[in-house]
Amino acid sequence: MPLIPEEPQIHEKAQGPRATPASGRTAPTPRPVPGPRPAAPPRPGRPGPVRPAPPAQRASRDTTAAATPGPAGPAAPATAATAPATPQIQLIPATPDGALDAAEEAVDLLLDSGRTPGDVLVITTGDAHPWAAHELSFGDTAYWAQHDAGDDVFYADAAVADRAASRAVVVVALNGGPEAAAVTALAVAHSRAGALLIVCGDPQRISSVLGAGV
């Protein structure tokens, strides 16, 4: 019987790209592209200093400065509490007419740098500061009550500055007055300043007074 030739085998055609992933493999899911991030809300800024016009009393720039006194602890040794510290001396050249303005600018810088108003005592040698003149119009008792409260910048004339208590910073404005007033003001200021003594006035006059009285 004649042999029948084998039918040619039909090979599968090469398939094109698979539309679906092979069995057992999972196609990666495209990750969403994050959109633009919303801008962060602006941080609240520090309110600018509010400086009342003279002769109104200077308002405290730190409303939290007046802390509630805590329970009284053991008293510090007398030697540590009463030991006088040598203050750093800073001279600011100014004319007698501009010494008070220079002192006010120095006070502003002190408050901006973190000093509390109760840290600062200002002594004048000529005309009284408008705030001091205004407070004295209500009487000596009311004026010194402001000093005893110790919660604001205190302004005193050289003639009565020796009644003022020590403060961390003392600013002297040589805004006129006799030489004796300058000598008294610097001597009192040097003894009352705990950390810093700022003197606003004529450099030559300051040098002569510092050499004679301090």
Side-chain angles (χ1 to χ4, degrees):
M1 175 173 188
L3 299 176
I4 300 175
E6 296 182 356
E7 295 181 1
Q9 297 180 356
I10 300 175
H11 298 279
E12 295 182 357
K13 294 182 180 181
Q15 298 179 357
R18 294 185 178 185
T20 58
S23 174
R25 298 180 59 185
T26 304
T29 303
R31 300 178 62 182
V33 179
R37 299 178 62 183
R43 298 178 60 185
R46 179 185 175 188
V50 179
R51 182 179 173 187
Q57 187 177 13
R58 181 190 303 272
S60 172
R61 300 190 180 193
D62 185 0
T63 56
T64 62
T68 303
T79 54
T82 59
T86 302
Q88 178 185 355
I89 300 177
Q90 179 180 350
L91 307 181
I92 300 179
T95 63
D97 291 338
L100 194 56
D101 289 337
E104 284 288 271
E105 292 178 3
V107 171
D108 288 340
L109 290 175
L110 289 168
L111 299 181
D112 290 340
S113 67
R115 289 285 183 183
T116 61
D119 283 344
V120 185
L121 168 67
V122 180
I123 301 175
T124 57
T125 60
D127 293 337
H129 187 276
W131 178 87
H134 178 263
E135 292 300 320
L136 283 170
S137 68
F138 296 102
D140 192 70
T141 301
Y143 170 73
W144 286 105
Q146 297 283 348
H147 166 270
D148 295 340
D151 57 0
D152 207 345
V153 180
F154 189 75
Y155 299 85
D157 184 80
V160 297
D162 58 344
R163 290 183 57 182
S166 298
R167 294 201 176 189
V169 184
V170 179
V171 182
V172 178
L174 299 179
N175 59 330
E179 195 72 11
V183 174
T184 299
L186 284 215
V188 172
H190 192 269
S191 65
R192 299 296 191 272
L196 179 62
L197 169 59
I198 301 176
V199 186
C200 307
D202 178 63
Q204 294 183 352
R205 187 183 185 195
I206 294 172
S207 298
S208 62
V209 173
L210 284 175
V214 178

